[in-house]
Amino acid sequence: MTQIASAASGDTMTIREAALRGEPLIDTFIVNNHSHLGMYYGFAQPNPDADTLVQTMDRVGIDQSCVFSSLAITADMRTGNDLSLEAASQHPDRILAYAVPDPNLERQVRDEMQRCIDAGVRGIKFHTSLHDYPFGGPGYVPAFELADKHRLPLISHGVDSPDVLRRTARSYPNAHFIVAHAGAGRRHPEFDATYTVAIEEPNVYLDTAGSVAPYGIFAQLVKHTGAGKILYGDDFPWMCPTHQIGRILLAPITDDQKKQILGGTMQRLLSTRQ
Amino acid sequence: MREMPHLFDANVFLGPIFLRHDDTPDDVPRLLAAMDENGISRALVTHGLAKWQHPAVGNRLVIQETKGIDRLVPCWVVMPSVTGELPPERELVAQLLDSGARAARLCTGMNRLTLEPFEIETLLEALAERRVPLFLDTNNRHWSEPRPWAFIEWALRTYPTLPLVLLREPPANYRTLFTLMDRHSNLYIETCYFQGHDAIALGAGRWGADRLVFGSGLPEWDPGMAITGLTYASFSVEERDMVASGSLLRLLDNCVV
């Protein structure tokens, strides 16, 4: 079992032991690939700002969070993207801004994505259900092209179908496709075609953010797809990082697998940006 | 180095549960092993067959199977008695306490209860008289499912000595939940699904840590998120320990035996 050091005392312990004690995981590089920012009309989300996100990250030992404002996935793409960029500028190296396209504003998407890339975003986020638009629709094509050109992560809430996901991943092989929420685990992963696509396509990954966690299912998923296909995400502030990370920290998998999921793989995906 | 909290889990099933798989602990030895793996010292346990077969069966089994095991405290599933499936309400509550159980679970959807006062008032009155904490199990899986708020508000107002604990309270209801928590000191939250950003610490600061009860949902649900939601929350060790075990102990000790 890998030994890590606790922040407070320097004592060595496993990831499991640190989690049970509430010790920050200072020797494990952790990247949260799925966070929002700001208030949301649908329900009350306590302390949804970047400053308190960073405080929570510090308590757990999360090094970086990829953020996309809730405003950008709802009513105002451009202002929302600016909120994400502003948060990243206030917390360099801790908050990584992503750009969100609103595909309903089809004629604006390319310029907006390019503007955000020029401003330093590290990835792209789709929310196909809130934007009520298909993953395979033409409004998203400029975002796919730019993600491919700049070799960026692209996380999507909704991918239409496993076949559309596979076709798109093959069309844009330099983009890193992340299926939001799919890595939280579903019953009988062996029958789920989305997981088959993730296993077979080298640029498809699964995000762990999800409120529901049936017993033992996450470990089954890790065994089925391999830890290298799963990326930690917490969906802050829709859900709390302190809860979400527990799915991984206390799972009956090895510490090396946990480290891959917590940030090892995501560091590599973020490093390819051109 | 921080000490591990003493976890007394308020939301655990013993025995077979619906939709289990090969790795699901479904007997006492496997449940205790799963508790050990996750640092859970004690658990308030309902028998799976009390929920997924019938309370008359599962309530008897939970007493048999936990006998002599101090780490497992039994909890019964309760229903109205009008059909003769269970004893009359006051007798049922007396039997519950005599058996060593110290809490009751109401499975609202599974037992097709309307929760109208005419249906449920005799049962709640009997529980309130003996201050037996009632855990409300709506069998919710996802945060977007509705809660029977009108019933909850009526029960809290009508039976102020009845502690009512909301199991698996989701993060999307705060606009409603906070009003009831502010108004009714006999309302409690079980924390396994209470995962709004730092919501456990926020709740402890607003209502007191003794209004929050640690639970995991084991073995139906993965206990990992419930545990780290507690251990990494932004509150004092004293508040953490109250949520981890103190608040449940108080509720169980407060039964009129």
Side-chain angles (χ1 to χ4, degrees):
Chain A
M1 199 57 87
T2 309
Q3 298 292 306
I4 64 164
S6 78
S9 62
D11 293 324
T12 57
M13 61 185 79
T14 63
I15 288 175
R16 171 187 173 278
E17 289 166 344
L20 290 176
R21 294 176 189 277
E23 290 278 357
L25 298 156
I26 59 167
D27 284 355
T28 302
F29 197 87
I30 302 177
V31 184
N32 158 31
N33 97 98
H34 184 163
S35 267
H36 300 272
L37 280 179
M39 291 184 288
Y40 173 62
Y41 55 81
F43 58 91
Q45 299 172 345
N47 303 322
D49 57 287
D51 292 345
T52 46
L53 169 59
V54 171
Q55 288 170 16
T56 301
M57 291 163 61
D58 289 341
R59 278 206 312 284
V60 180
I62 298 168
D63 294 277
Q64 295 178 326
S65 284
C66 304
V67 304
F68 12 96
S69 76
S70 292
L71 180 61
I73 61 170
T74 53
D76 192 338
M77 160 178 77
R78 185 180 173 95
T79 308
N81 288 333
D82 281 342
L83 290 174
S84 303
L85 287 163
E86 184 184 346
S89 72
Q90 289 171 351
H91 300 278
D93 297 328
R94 304 298 306 280
I95 302 281
L96 310 181
Y98 273 31
V100 177
D102 181 348
N104 300 294
L105 305 172
E106 193 175 335
R107 291 193 299 276
Q108 301 175 39
V109 165
R110 184 176 298 280
D111 287 349
E112 175 60 9
M113 293 298 97
Q114 190 62 60
R115 179 185 79 89
C116 291
I117 289 169
D118 293 344
V121 297
R122 303 293 298 275
I124 293 174
K125 158 76 172 185
F126 292 2
H127 204 303
T128 66
S129 60
L130 282 173
H131 278 143
D132 193 20
Y133 195 90
F135 180 74
Y140 280 130
V141 167
F144 287 134
E145 291 175 350
L146 288 167
D148 188 58
K149 177 182 175 186
H150 295 279
R151 300 173 185 260
L152 298 176
L154 190 160
I155 180 170
S156 183
H157 181 123
V159 291
D160 292 356
S161 70
D163 286 343
V164 172
L165 172 64
R166 187 191 296 276
R167 196 163 58 242
T168 308
R170 288 181 178 179
S171 298
Y172 304 98
N174 298 311
H176 314 300
F177 289 90
I178 303 165
V179 186
H181 308 298
R186 299 171 185 154
R187 288 171 52 77
H188 301 297
E190 66 274 24
F191 302 131
D192 191 315
T194 300
Y195 297 148
T196 305
V197 175
I199 292 167
E200 293 177 353
E201 301 300 326
N203 59 335
V204 175
Y205 301 86
L206 308 164
D207 153 54
T208 65
S211 66
V212 177
Y215 181 83
I217 298 297
F218 181 69
Q220 291 180 10
L221 177 65
V222 173
K223 187 176 178 184
H224 182 63
T225 66
K229 283 291 177 176
I230 302 173
L231 309 172
Y232 166 59
D234 56 41
D235 216 351
F236 165 93
W238 297 53
M239 293 176 278
C240 190
T242 60
H243 270 79
Q244 286 292 307
I245 202 164
R247 183 199 316 276
I248 302 157
L249 302 186
L250 292 178
I253 58 178
T254 68
D255 276 8
D256 285 342
Q257 289 173 315
K258 291 176 186 177
K259 287 183 173 184
Q260 257 188 302
I261 296 166
L262 288 168
T265 302
M266 193 62 197
Q267 269 187 293
R268 178 170 57 79
L269 303 189
L270 288 165
S271 72
T272 62
R273 186 179 191 274
Q274 290 183 347
Chain B
M1 188 193 304
R2 285 161 61 101
E3 292 298 316
M4 290 185 194
H6 171 79
L7 296 176
F8 188 177
D9 190 331
N11 186 9
V12 172
F13 280 102
L14 168 64
I17 63 169
F18 194 51
L19 297 179
R20 71 187 187 281
H21 51 79
D22 289 335
D23 298 330
T24 305
D26 55 5
D27 58 24
V28 168
R30 295 179 77 198
L31 178 64
L32 292 175
M35 288 167 58
D36 289 340
E37 282 171 26
N38 290 285
I40 297 170
S41 312
R42 296 183 77 194
L44 180 68
V45 291
T46 304
H47 204 282
L49 295 186
K51 179 172 177 178
W52 283 285
Q53 184 185 5
H54 196 281
V57 176
N59 292 345
R60 176 173 46 81
L61 289 173
V62 78
I63 298 303
Q64 285 177 8
E65 294 179 18
T66 60
K67 193 171 182 182
I69 304 172
D70 292 342
R71 294 178 66 186
L72 304 179
V73 178
C75 173
W76 278 15
V77 172
V78 294
M79 290 196 304
S81 70
V82 66
T83 54
E85 296 168 275
L86 292 177
E89 283 77 356
R90 282 193 175 79
E91 194 179 323
L92 175 72
V93 173
Q95 287 181 9
L96 178 156
L97 292 167
D98 289 346
S99 76
R102 289 292 179 270
R105 179 185 285 246
L106 190 66
C107 299
T108 59
M110 294 291 292
N111 293 147
R112 287 194 168 80
L113 301 175
T114 67
L115 304 176
E116 293 290 343
F118 69 82
E119 175 196 68
I120 205 77
E121 61 191 355
T122 308
L123 177 61
L124 298 196
E125 192 174 312
L127 292 164
E129 284 173 359
R130 308 294 292 271
R131 294 193 202 124
V132 175
L134 180 63
F135 288 74
L136 192 69
D137 179 351
T138 60
N139 206 39
N140 59 311
R141 297 183 66 81
H142 194 255
W143 56 261
S144 59
E145 294 169 42
R147 287 284 198 184
W149 292 115
F151 159 73
I152 293 168
E153 193 277 334
W154 167 80
L156 293 166
R157 179 167 38 83
T158 308
Y159 304 101
T161 62
L162 176 68
L164 187 64
V165 185
L166 303 178
L167 289 171
R168 201 170 159 73
E169 179 55 32
N173 294 334
Y174 297 166
R175 291 170 187 155
T176 312
L177 176 72
F178 281 26
T179 306
L180 293 180
M181 286 293 288
D182 285 348
R183 290 183 184 178
H184 299 283
S185 60
N186 54 330
L187 181 61
Y188 299 80
I189 298 166
E190 181 267 303
T191 58
C192 77
Y193 206 37
F194 195 59
Q195 56 173 300
H197 179 219
D198 211 18
I200 293 178
L202 188 155
R206 181 165 175 148
W207 305 299
D210 59 347
R211 301 281 299 284
L212 302 171
V213 179
F214 168 75
S216 72
L218 184 76
E220 188 177 13
W221 303 106
D222 185 331
M225 296 202 297
I227 292 169
T228 58
L230 176 71
T231 58
Y232 286 116
S234 66
F235 51 24
S236 68
V237 170
E238 291 74 22
E239 289 174 305
R240 181 200 69 176
D241 290 347
M242 178 58 74
V243 178
S245 60
S247 50
L248 179 58
L249 280 168
R250 279 190 190 178
L251 287 174
L252 303 187
D253 287 347
N254 205 32
C255 289
V256 180
V257 179

